[in-house]
Amino acid sequence: MFFLVNEFAKSIKILCLGGVGELGKNMYVVEVHDDLFVIDAGLMFPEDEMFGIDIVIPDYSYLVENKNRIRGIFLSHGHEDHIGAIPYILRQIDVPVYGTRLTLALTKIKLKEHGLSLKIDFREVKENTQLTFEHAKITFFHVNHSIPDAVGICIETSEGNIVYTGDFKFDQSADPLYRAHISKMTKIGDRGVLCLLSDSTESEKEGYTPSEITVAKELDDVFKRAKSRIIFACYASQINAIQRLINTAYKSERKVAIVGRALHHIFQMAAKNGYLYVPENLIIVPNNLGEYPDNKVVVLMSGNQGEPLEALQMMVKRSYNQIQIQKGDTVIIAASPHRGGEQFLIRTVDMLYRAGANVISGKRVHVSGHGRREELKLMINLMKPKFFVPIHGEYKMLVSHAQIAEHMGIPSENIFIPEKGDVIEIKHGKIRANGRVTAGNILIDGSGVGDVGNIVLRDRKMLSQDGIFIVVVTINRDEKKIASGPEIISRGFVYVRESEELMGQATKLVKEIVEKNLRGQFFEWSNVKQEIRDSLNGYLFNKTKRRPMIIPIIMEI
């Protein structure tokens, strides 16, 4: 270690702004003295009850408040759940962004999609790169994941090494582009690791994650059995899955057409930079599919946001411009649904079968990029950490990983299971919570960033469950009478033509309330509206056991 032992304050802080208690939107901060090192900045796809929300990113207000202390954002790899929030953060924080060549290339594509013309200070790192800061030194080590150029990050401090694994597994048959540098991990562990922050995604599953080779063999069999077109659906950044598809298509003498803007951009970049090997004359444009027999083509596709399922549904509904699902197609879904997307996958598969396609999905054609329990044990053995913090996963996954660490000999008092916003302090040989910072979700809806909050989501949920009930009344206050109405508009609540008695009674109730208030000495708009809401809410629930959103509109002439 190149630091003097007592050169700086003996306190290291680790902040979890995302990625704990959830799958996705990974973002962590390591604080050494006054310096902040931000690790990853990912997004998460919305859960079922986030109606209309496109994506979710971490609340990064802590970073904005402390932007002068940030020494950089350090990216472990190029998947959305680790780089997807970058375009939003860089609008408000001007700091260097460090990453490997592929990771930075994918990040630049992301920024281009957002139309950002900011001058970003991108700094490429390699596995042997050493970055020296005033209070820390940062090094990297290759890990095996489902995308090339994935690295773990080691922050060397005067108190010891803080190691962040990123997403990892140990596939001994991995292609050299994906191979983990186990000997370097061993050297880091031998030098001493103060704290290990480790991926928990598959911590509940026994054994080892199956090798990519098993998927390649299954894909060969699927291609041999398919008698017509093959549609291969994956996430745009799943470069390992794309390479498997290319290899199998070439062996099967099928041409490959690429569909999806995000996928096309990533494919071109990866091929140009040597992360994909593409045989000559294999790729054709989608418009030329008709020039080849159906049993000689493959469609490699993803959605414009890099997510394939919605695009597949559009193909079934024939609302996708370039291609539609036809009877006899073999559809391979080489992707796991995001959390909350399981029902959407089930509906998509059902729609594909109804359209006459044969669907293949699940572990036959897709394996996780995350290590299971035996691989997590291996990482702990290699690093030999004094303190352990499980990250990257729902709370039950973090607990499971903590139990693994304890069984591996790490004392329970040296293990910290974090919540979002926790400030974890390592000081005087102990690990403990030392306060909290703002952490949570920023919801992205269209071009809106953070303008949709819990109240708006609650309203959307209410609308989806019981509909809306609008009452419009026009009054003449001088004459103290109703000029027109009440008129009732109902959407998603009841069918008006079949509920005449209900509507009639609701109209009568509103009319009585308005006339009573008009006869009084004062006519307070807010009081009248609230009385209408309360009365209608009780009446409608009593009759229907539903609670629609009630909106009274009172106009004056």
Side-chain angles (χ1 to χ4, degrees):
M1 197 70 61
F2 67 102
F3 296 98
L4 297 175
V5 174
N6 294 312
E7 187 177 356
F8 306 114
K10 296 181 180 179
S11 171
I12 306 293
K13 293 179 181 176
I14 300 166
L15 292 76
C16 301
L17 300 183
V20 293
E22 60 194 2
L23 288 172
K25 71 182 183 68
N26 294 285
M27 180 184 277
Y28 311 89
V29 181
V30 177
E31 181 175 332
V32 185
H33 199 51
D34 287 331
D35 291 348
L36 301 182
F37 302 95
V38 181
I39 302 177
D40 285 337
L43 60 74
M44 181 174 72
F45 290 106
E47 298 174 359
D48 285 344
E49 294 191 353
M50 294 181 176
F51 301 97
I53 300 303
D54 297 322
I55 61 171
V56 185
I57 63 174
D59 185 331
Y60 53 91
S61 54
Y62 178 80
L63 300 184
V64 175
E65 293 164 5
N66 295 275
K67 59 185 177 183
N68 293 331
R69 299 168 56 203
I70 299 173
R71 298 296 163 255
I73 299 174
F74 302 83
L75 304 176
S76 63
H77 65 282
H79 281 155
E80 294 271 26
D81 57 335
H82 291 259
I83 67 168
I86 287 286
Y88 303 96
I89 293 171
L90 293 184
R91 289 187 176 106
Q92 294 182 261
I93 300 172
D94 182 15
V95 295
V97 178
Y98 296 86
T100 55
R101 185 158 59 109
L102 177 61
T103 301
L104 291 186
L106 290 168
T107 305
K108 290 173 184 176
I109 289 174
K110 203 83 191 146
L111 292 171
K112 189 175 181 180
E113 288 174 358
H114 284 257
L116 289 182
S117 57
L118 301 172
K119 291 185 178 179
I120 310 301
D121 183 7
F122 286 112
R123 301 185 185 182
E124 183 181 324
V125 301
K126 297 181 173 66
E127 188 187 34
N128 59 1
T129 299
Q130 293 186 6
L131 304 172
T132 302
F133 299 88
E134 186 178 359
H135 303 311
K137 183 168 76 173
I138 297 183
T139 58
F140 306 88
F141 55 94
H142 275 139
V143 295
N144 172 215
H145 188 41
S146 54
I147 188 171
D149 259 7
V151 293
I153 300 169
C154 178
I155 302 178
E156 299 182 18
T157 77
S158 60
E159 301 306 308
N161 293 339
I162 310 297
V163 175
Y164 172 85
T165 66
D167 292 354
F168 76 92
K169 60 180 178 178
F170 289 101
D171 185 348
Q172 303 304 317
S173 303
D175 182 274
L177 267 178
Y178 298 82
R179 201 163 289 165
H181 198 157
I182 297 177
S183 63
K184 188 165 186 179
M185 296 181 200
T186 303
K187 290 176 183 177
I188 292 171
D190 289 342
R191 289 203 308 268
V193 172
L194 179 66
C195 183
L196 176 65
L197 285 70
S198 187
D199 174 15
S200 307
T201 309
E202 298 282 9
S203 64
E204 297 175 288
K205 296 182 180 178
E206 297 290 345
Y208 297 85
T209 296
S211 171
E212 302 281 349
I213 287 179
T214 62
V215 177
K217 291 178 180 177
E218 181 64 34
L219 207 57
D220 286 342
D221 292 340
V222 171
F223 270 63
K224 288 174 184 176
R225 293 194 300 269
K227 304 300 182 185
S228 188
R229 297 187 310 177
I230 294 174
I231 315 291
F232 188 90
C234 66
Y235 288 103
S237 59
Q238 278 183 281
I239 292 176
N240 64 332
I242 295 170
Q243 185 67 69
R244 280 199 303 271
L245 180 277
I246 290 170
N247 296 344
T248 310
Y250 180 69
K251 285 191 288 185
S252 304
E253 298 182 345
R254 287 179 181 253
K255 299 293 184 181
V256 177
I258 301 169
V259 175
R261 186 180 66 246
L263 176 61
H264 184 72
H265 290 160
I266 291 173
F267 185 94
Q268 285 188 316
M269 178 279 299
K272 180 180 177 182
N273 288 283
Y275 295 104
L276 281 174
Y277 170 70
V278 185
E280 194 174 349
N281 300 322
L282 181 72
I283 307 301
I284 61 174
V285 297
N287 290 340
N288 291 347
L289 280 169
E291 298 176 9
Y292 298 88
D294 285 349
N295 64 349
K296 290 297 178 182
V297 294
V298 184
V299 176
L300 171 61
M301 58 80 59
S302 189
N304 282 337
Q305 295 295 324
E307 201 276 338
L309 297 182
E310 188 173 348
L312 280 174
Q313 287 200 8
M314 291 173 66
M315 289 179 179
V316 173
K317 297 173 184 174
R318 300 190 171 273
S319 57
Y320 203 86
N321 291 333
Q322 291 180 295
I323 188 172
Q324 287 82 42
I325 298 297
Q326 62 190 34
K327 189 174 183 180
D329 284 345
T330 295
V331 178
I332 301 170
I333 303 177
S336 298
H338 59 80
R339 190 187 186 286
E342 294 84 1
Q343 288 299 319
F344 193 68
L345 172 62
I346 291 169
R347 288 196 301 271
T348 303
V349 170
D350 190 68
M351 291 171 67
L352 289 166
Y353 273 113
R354 287 179 181 275
N358 177 39
V359 184
I360 299 169
S361 63
K363 61 185 179 181
R364 291 175 59 192
V365 289
H366 173 71
V367 295
S368 174
H370 306 267
R372 294 184 180 179
R373 295 176 72 91
E374 295 304 315
E375 290 151 284
L376 302 183
K377 291 177 184 178
L378 176 56
M379 180 62 79
I380 292 171
N381 267 333
L382 292 172
M383 293 297 172
K384 301 183 281 290
K386 179 176 182 180
F387 300 110
F388 182 76
V389 178
I391 55 170
H392 295 190
E394 296 172 346
Y395 196 79
K396 61 178 181 175
M397 299 170 184
L398 306 183
V399 171
S400 176
H401 201 176
Q403 291 169 348
I404 293 171
E406 191 171 355
H407 292 155
M408 297 293 292
I410 300 177
S412 59
E413 61 269 21
N414 286 7
I415 299 171
F416 191 100
I417 302 175
E419 298 269 17
K420 283 193 295 291
D422 278 347
V423 178
I424 306 165
E425 183 179 51
I426 301 174
K427 190 174 184 179
H428 301 316
K430 294 183 179 180
I431 188 168
R432 66 186 183 94
N434 184 15
R436 292 181 58 80
V437 299
T438 301
N441 295 334
I442 293 179
L443 308 178
I444 311 298
D445 184 359
S447 60
V449 179
D451 56 349
V452 175
N454 290 333
I455 294 175
V456 175
L457 282 183
R458 184 196 64 195
D459 289 346
R460 290 182 179 181
K461 182 178 181 180
M462 186 182 296
L463 287 169
S464 74
Q465 291 176 336
D466 293 324
I468 189 169
F469 198 84
I470 303 173
V471 182
V472 183
V473 185
T474 304
I475 64 170
N476 187 323
R477 193 148 35 167
D478 292 337
E479 298 181 7
K480 293 193 173 184
K481 68 176 185 180
I482 294 175
S484 69
E487 180 183 353
I488 292 178
I489 303 166
S490 172
R491 294 290 184 272
F493 172 54
V494 293
Y495 186 47
V496 175
R497 291 184 181 179
E498 295 179 358
S499 308
E500 292 181 2
E501 183 180 348
L502 181 74
M503 293 302 176
Q505 288 298 321
T507 301
K508 182 181 177 183
L509 186 63
V510 173
K511 186 176 181 180
E512 290 173 354
I513 292 170
V514 175
E515 288 178 341
K516 179 190 73 175
N517 280 272
L518 282 170
R519 290 193 298 268
Q521 187 175 359
F522 300 103
F523 188 92
E524 291 288 343
W525 296 82
S526 58
N527 292 343
V528 176
K529 288 182 178 180
Q530 191 58 50
E531 189 175 347
I532 291 172
R533 284 193 199 95
D534 292 343
S535 299
L536 282 179
N537 188 52
Y539 171 71
L540 295 175
F541 184 76
N542 184 50
K543 293 295 183 180
T544 66
K545 296 297 182 286
R546 302 176 203 159
R547 296 191 187 277
M549 180 182 288
I550 298 169
I551 301 179
I553 299 174
I554 301 176
M555 299 182 291
E556 184 177 354
I557 59 171

